[in-house]
Amino acid sequence: MSAKIFIDGQAGTTGLGIAQRLGVMPGIALVALDEARRKDAAARREAMAQADLTVLCLPDDAAREAVALAPEGTRILDASSAHRTAAGWVYGFPELGPVYVQNIAQGRLVSNPGCYATSAIALLNPLIEAGLLPPDHDVTINAVSGYSGGGKALIAAHEAEGGPALEAYALGLAHKHVPEIMLRSGLTRRPIFTPSVGHFAQGMLVCIPLFLDRLPGTPEGHELMEAYRERYEGAENILVHPGIWSGALRPDALRGTDRLEIFVCANAAYDHAVLVARLDNLGKGASGAAVQNIKLMLGDAVDA
């Protein structure tokens, strides 16, 4: 028997991406609402009751309302940022360790990570856990993303002739991903996060520069890389590139994939390093990560 999944907000970018991925998977049946009923609360509640798992692809406030609307006992995967730091919710980042895998598999309420947060946490958490980066260290995170994750207005602006080549934003330094990054990476000092959007549809680069001589023991680049290799050995969707990287990196190179790549760029002469994560903001940064969590949550019910 197929596992039934209801995607509340299937018409959006993330919802469409999830539906497309699930559509080619055996053992999955989507519970669908026609266009006239997709915003009807009673119809949505009925669909949640029919489904083995409900996936929320909604704005934050609407996601909170959907959780309140859901029948008691409904299993939910929330792709919004509404519950990523909320008590009682499991964080859906299985690469953070076996405990996360187990909690996702057994969880009733699971929150899908943000795209920027996925990259920053993937870079920071292994170093903090290994004692190479103090939790209270001064950290800056610089990122560029494709425009496809920015909503309908931003997509329209970039797809129009003469769309902006690059825009820095969130310069009030209060981006909503920062609390999530701190909580899940282990940082205790708030980092400075400066995101930007480029004139390309899908892709992302997240860069974290480090002065190695300001870290305990002045670690070398290969020690940082070894921490990543130990953490992500055997990981399904995270690849650590061997060797110190010194070439160019395109943000859109992983478009259409669900992978995340990690690079360590270091110069021993200056004790400088830059940590880089690359992913598709709609893949491992959104829909791809959601499907990874769906598989864990449904377990044997899905013939993957």
Side-chain angles (χ1 to χ4, degrees):
M1 182 178 293
S2 296
K4 297 179 181 179
I5 298 178
F6 171 53
I7 304 174
D8 196 359
Q10 184 174 329
T13 303
T14 299
L16 286 171
I18 294 171
Q20 289 168 357
R21 286 167 169 81
L22 295 179
V24 297
M25 286 175 53
I28 294 290
L30 294 179
V31 178
L33 295 178
D34 59 43
E35 181 66 21
R37 303 180 71 209
R38 69 183 181 87
K39 293 187 178 182
D40 181 87
R44 291 163 60 210
R45 182 179 171 87
E46 181 181 345
M48 292 179 187
Q50 294 176 13
D52 298 296
L53 176 64
T54 292
V55 182
L56 305 181
C57 299
L58 302 166
D60 288 2
D61 288 343
R64 295 185 185 97
E65 292 171 359
V67 172
L69 175 70
E72 184 177 356
T74 300
R75 296 191 79 194
I76 295 174
L77 174 66
D78 183 9
S80 81
S81 62
H83 298 102
R84 290 173 184 161
T85 61
W89 285 74
V90 174
Y91 193 61
F93 198 149
E95 291 86 358
L96 289 180
V99 172
Y100 281 80
V101 174
Q102 180 178 355
N103 288 343
I104 295 165
Q106 298 177 352
R108 186 177 75 83
L109 303 174
V110 179
S111 183
N112 213 52
C115 53
Y116 288 124
T118 294
S119 299
I121 293 164
L123 293 173
L124 292 167
N125 181 266
L127 302 188
I128 293 173
E129 290 291 319
L132 295 169
L133 182 69
D136 61 352
H137 193 70
D138 296 337
V139 170
T140 60
I141 304 168
N142 310 300
V144 60
S145 174
Y147 59 76
S148 55
K152 293 181 180 179
L154 185 65
I155 292 172
H158 276 272
E159 291 185 346
E161 185 176 354
L166 184 74
E167 288 182 296
Y169 70 102
L171 295 176
L173 304 181
H175 193 282
K176 66 180 181 179
H177 283 192
V178 173
E180 176 187 356
I181 290 170
M182 292 184 65
L183 179 62
R184 307 304 179 179
S185 70
L187 284 178
T188 57
R189 179 172 174 80
R190 186 181 178 91
I192 295 176
F193 175 42
T194 53
S196 58
V197 174
H199 190 50
F200 56 95
Q202 292 173 233
M204 177 174 287
L205 287 177
V206 173
C207 303
I208 299 177
L210 296 173
F211 291 96
L212 297 178
D213 56 356
R214 301 290 179 88
L215 301 180
T218 312
E220 298 181 2
H222 70 86
E223 295 176 76
L224 307 181
M225 185 182 304
E226 186 59 30
Y228 292 132
R229 290 170 65 88
E230 288 182 5
R231 167 60 65 82
Y232 299 124
E233 182 179 5
E236 177 183 358
N237 291 326
I238 296 184
L239 172 66
V240 180
H241 279 264
I244 301 300
W245 188 267
S246 60
L249 290 172
R250 289 181 55 118
D252 58 349
L254 294 182
R255 175 174 177 159
T257 78
D258 293 334
R259 298 197 310 274
L260 183 150
E261 296 177 326
I262 290 178
F263 303 84
V264 175
C265 312
N267 189 315
Y270 306 117
D271 284 326
H272 288 175
V274 177
L275 316 173
V276 184
R278 176 166 66 182
L279 52 66
D280 181 346
N281 59 294
L282 299 185
K284 180 59 174 169
S287 303
V291 171
Q292 187 179 3
N293 286 320
I294 288 168
K295 290 179 180 179
L296 288 170
M297 294 179 75
L298 295 178
D300 294 339
V302 178
D303 181 13

